[in-house]
Amino acid sequence: MTSSKKGRKQAKHKRDAADRVVIFDTTLRDGEQSPGASMTLSEKLQVAELLDEMGVDIIEAGFPIASNGDFQAVNEIAKIASNAVVCGLARAGAKDIDRAGEALKPAKRSRIHTFISTSPVHMKYKLQMEPGDVLAAVTSSVQLARKWTDDVEWSPEDATRTDPDFLCRCVEAAIKAGAGTINIPDTVGYTVPQEYHALISMLREKVPGADKVVFSTHCHDDLGLAVANSLAGVAAGARQVECTINGIGERAGNAALEEVHMAIDTRNDVLPYWTSIDAAYITRASKIVSAVTAFPVQYNKAIVGKNAFAHESGIHQDGMLKHTETYEIMTPESIGLKESALVMGKHSGRHAFREKLKELGYELGDNALQDAFQRFKDLADKKKHVFDEDIEALVDDELATANDRIKVVALTVIAGTSGPQKATITLEVDAKHHTREATGDGPVDATFNAIKAIVPHEARLPLYQVHAVTEGTDAQAEVSVRLEENGKSVIGRGADTDTMVASARAYVSALNKLLVKREKSAPEKMLAS
Ligand code: KIV
Ligand code: ZN
């Protein structure tokens, strides 16, 4: 059961500028660094656009020196961001910083975030540098970054395992060189709230010039303390929190944006701060990031988990019916979660469909609208109830595959207890049809083998995932497939009421993305002769 009562009135503090917590989102940089979470350029743009709209102050769009793809993503996001500052990450060297500066050129407002390790273990084994040389690099890197932009952030990587006196000297050097934001990363998720609070307090008290800069938190979740540590940092005077949607990021992830914001918003009586986030975007942002990375959101995840607002037990349901505040500390509406709405049926017209898309936040051109409307009609023929989630899955699928050069035309699968399972597939490749038949260990394997017979490749398939878009046996299946080739990873998605068709679409969508990654190779070269 999901409640649908209006938002509660919280005791909100007056919004003083001094209490404003800047939200620095690193979904597209630290988040994308999680193994397997790579996104395409258009997916990154889609996420960036939403972050910009939802009120994120700074979007860390990537690490421009890391690859041409990262450079391009930062560069394109710099062109489209209208509210947020766009940030690029750079190590302490000139090549990194200049590459970040170049990528950020089109931005209305840009920031370079430069970092170097300061802990004994990182300096000795990773950098193989003496502390004195690290200190000198702090100054030179910040000075160089300032040649590109006035907005420079500096981070001592592994700050929470750094000798406090050396940390103070490095922070002082960064401030003197012109950094306006000092980020204190708990790179390995090692600290605990009271320790992190003490560290930020100590830096703010001891370091000359600390009162002129903004301190920032960057906490990893290895001990499940990333959000608690971030809030402890804010209580100690940090006024920027680095976080990601759904908490994705290296290893156990980063502090989750939605948790940081909702904790501040819901417990404003004891956390008297504010952010510029419009919480109504949280559900959509969570869904998009989960879809493009194929990282499912854990059912009991705070704020955005499927069960976060579900009340199953009889006692809880009874309480909720009497008064929603019995078991609900925030409303589903406040994070943009709506009751699953029965939308339309097969008699709904194009106008109603366009209005529904608008309500769900989509604006399609005439051709894309026509294609999506046709797919909606087909779906309404097969499925009794078409919900908002069905429309979202269908349109996301349509948008993701609109420019694909390889398309699924037809699929027939023979499955069941008496094998071998067999699939016959027809693919359109640059307007030419190709048909192949294959067997396999099960219908999915047979389908993928048939596709591979038309498009031979050596890519590995480390992930195949199915989830039902809505409830019921006629629900659409949404399939995610990850393919890896030469260290590059792509995610394909497909939706259909037939799980095999959705699987074929997802596999073909991943192949299309591999083609884009290969850039120069034409699809014909992938085809079997
Ligand atoms: O976790 C970390 O230390 C980082 C830095 C690059 C800020 O991500
Ligand atoms: Zn990090």
Side-chain angles (χ1 to χ4, degrees):
M1 189 176 84
T2 304
S3 101
S4 59
K5 291 272 156 62
K6 281 271 168 262
R8 322 231 182 293
K9 290 273 167 295
Q10 301 292 339
K12 297 266 162 64
H13 282 256
K14 214 176 109 251
R15 296 190 149 194
D16 284 339
D19 301 327
R20 176 160 165 15
V21 174
V22 168
I23 295 294
F24 177 109
D25 181 280
T26 183
T27 305
L28 297 171
R29 199 279 297 169
D30 211 323
E32 215 231 359
Q33 267 171 236
S34 357
S38 66
M39 303 172 216
T40 62
L41 176 62
S42 72
E43 288 165 346
K44 286 183 185 177
L45 286 168
Q46 190 188 1
V47 172
E49 219 172 327
L50 195 69
L51 295 175
D52 194 29
E53 254 180 70
M54 81 189 277
V56 161
D57 297 287
I58 296 140
I59 299 173
E60 189 165 49
F63 192 5
I65 194 82
S67 67
N68 289 339
D70 253 50
F71 179 93
Q72 202 190 354
V74 174
N75 191 250
E76 293 297 324
I77 291 168
K79 289 178 195 160
I80 61 150
S82 43
N83 309 310
V85 173
V86 181
C87 176
L89 184 69
R91 286 168 301 190
K95 271 192 188 159
D96 278 46
I97 294 169
D98 289 346
R99 193 82 177 131
E102 282 292 339
L104 290 165
K105 264 186 181 167
K108 274 194 202 149
R109 291 185 298 152
S110 66
R111 171 179 292 190
I112 293 179
H113 175 193
T114 181
F115 72 101
I116 190 165
S117 293
T118 51
S119 68
V121 65
H122 275 227
M123 288 192 292
K124 183 170 177 190
Y125 296 106
K126 186 179 119 167
L127 298 180
Q128 297 176 335
M129 278 170 81
E130 292 300 321
D133 298 329
V134 169
L135 192 56
V138 173
T139 301
S140 60
S141 59
V142 173
Q143 282 174 342
L144 181 56
R146 278 297 302 262
K147 292 197 171 140
W148 287 96
T149 169
D150 289 344
D151 187 349
V152 173
E153 171 172 333
W154 179 75
S155 289
E157 191 183 0
D158 205 14
T160 52
R161 295 192 300 167
T162 295
D163 169 69
D165 287 337
F166 183 60
L167 186 61
C168 286
R169 287 169 64 207
C170 289
V171 170
E172 185 181 349
I175 296 172
K176 271 200 185 132
T181 302
I182 300 293
N183 182 43
I184 303 299
D186 182 27
T187 303
V188 290
Y190 179 69
T191 199
V192 296
Q194 58 272 41
E195 183 185 68
Y196 197 59
H197 184 285
L199 180 63
I200 304 272
S201 302
M202 182 277 287
L203 290 168
R204 291 188 65 225
E205 272 161 29
K206 280 200 179 162
V207 176
D211 55 326
K212 308 275 184 310
V213 297
V214 174
F215 277 84
S216 164
T217 68
H218 179 106
C219 298
H220 280 271
D221 208 30
D222 300 64
L223 294 174
L225 292 170
V227 172
N229 289 336
S230 304
L231 293 174
V234 171
R239 285 295 177 270
Q240 173 177 291
V241 171
E242 302 201 351
C243 45
T244 59
I245 301 291
N246 296 340
I248 65 168
E250 286 274 15
R251 304 179 312 279
N254 290 66
L257 181 153
E258 62 278 7
E259 293 177 28
V260 170
H261 172 81
M262 290 311 286
I264 289 175
D265 196 61
T266 307
R267 292 308 312 275
N268 207 241
D269 51 338
V270 287
L271 299 169
Y273 320 109
W274 57 281
T275 81
S276 55
I277 295 296
D278 181 348
Y281 284 83
I282 284 177
T283 298
R284 178 133 185 83
S286 168
K287 280 190 185 174
I288 287 182
V289 169
S290 171
V292 298
T293 56
F295 273 31
V297 175
Q298 150 197 348
Y299 275 18
N300 60 332
K301 158 96 176 60
I303 319 294
V304 289
K306 187 175 175 344
N307 291 351
F309 292 92
H311 304 275
E312 282 300 329
S313 88
I315 295 174
H316 284 210
Q317 287 195 352
D318 181 54
M320 284 292 292
L321 289 171
K322 288 177 175 145
H323 200 297
T324 52
E325 263 177 65
T326 50
Y327 288 104
E328 228 172 52
I329 59 166
M330 55 202 152
T331 65
E333 291 83 0
S334 63
I335 59 147
L337 183 66
K338 291 180 217 113
E339 287 270 14
S340 223
L342 182 60
V343 272
M344 326 160 88
K346 58 178 165 185
H347 301 298
S348 307
R350 190 198 311 260
H351 181 69
F353 183 69
R354 191 198 286 268
E355 288 305 303
K356 175 49 82 181
L357 291 185
K358 254 195 213 157
E359 185 194 316
L360 295 173
Y362 294 100
E363 266 177 54
L364 303 190
D366 285 346
N367 290 347
L369 179 75
Q370 178 52 34
D371 292 347
F373 183 62
Q374 189 51 52
R375 276 189 70 178
F376 157 70
K377 283 288 193 191
D378 294 344
L379 181 66
D381 268 341
K382 291 188 219 156
K383 195 170 184 290
K384 213 153 123 207
H385 304 302
V386 180
F387 296 91
D388 283 353
E389 291 91 331
D390 286 314
I391 305 263
E392 282 168 351
L394 177 156
V395 178
D396 287 342
D397 193 31
E398 192 59 41
L399 290 178
T401 57
N403 298 319
D404 283 356
R405 299 173 72 179
I406 310 175
K407 292 193 165 103
V408 176
V409 177
L411 174 69
T412 310
V413 178
I414 300 173
T417 49
S418 50
Q421 286 77 23
K422 203 196 277 175
T424 308
I425 195 154
T426 302
L427 299 181
E428 181 187 297
V429 185
D430 281 349
K432 250 174 105 182
H433 284 195
H434 303 257
T435 301
R436 290 284 193 287
E437 188 180 281
T439 55
D441 294 334
V444 177
D445 194 42
T447 303
F448 290 1
N449 286 341
I451 294 171
K452 227 174 160 178
I454 301 175
V455 189
H457 57 86
E458 295 302 320
R460 252 175 22 90
L461 189 146
L463 176 108
Y464 167 79
Q465 184 176 278
V466 186
H467 98 266
V469 174
T470 56
E471 289 171 7
T473 50
D474 66 348
Q476 282 195 93
E478 197 166 46
V479 175
S480 306
V481 161
R482 181 178 302 135
L483 290 179
E484 276 174 14
E485 185 187 65
N486 301 329
K488 285 179 179 150
S489 155
V490 290
I491 291 155
R493 285 178 290 144
D496 200 277
T497 46
D498 185 315
T499 310
M500 290 310 111
V501 175
S503 302
R505 285 210 172 117
Y507 196 83
V508 165
S509 145
L511 284 176
N512 277 294
K513 287 183 181 173
L514 268 190
L515 271 182
V516 174
K517 287 243 168 192
R518 289 176 181 180
E519 280 166 336
K520 288 183 195 83
S521 71
E524 309 78 60
K525 287 202 187 134
M526 287 181 92
L527 294 178
S529 49

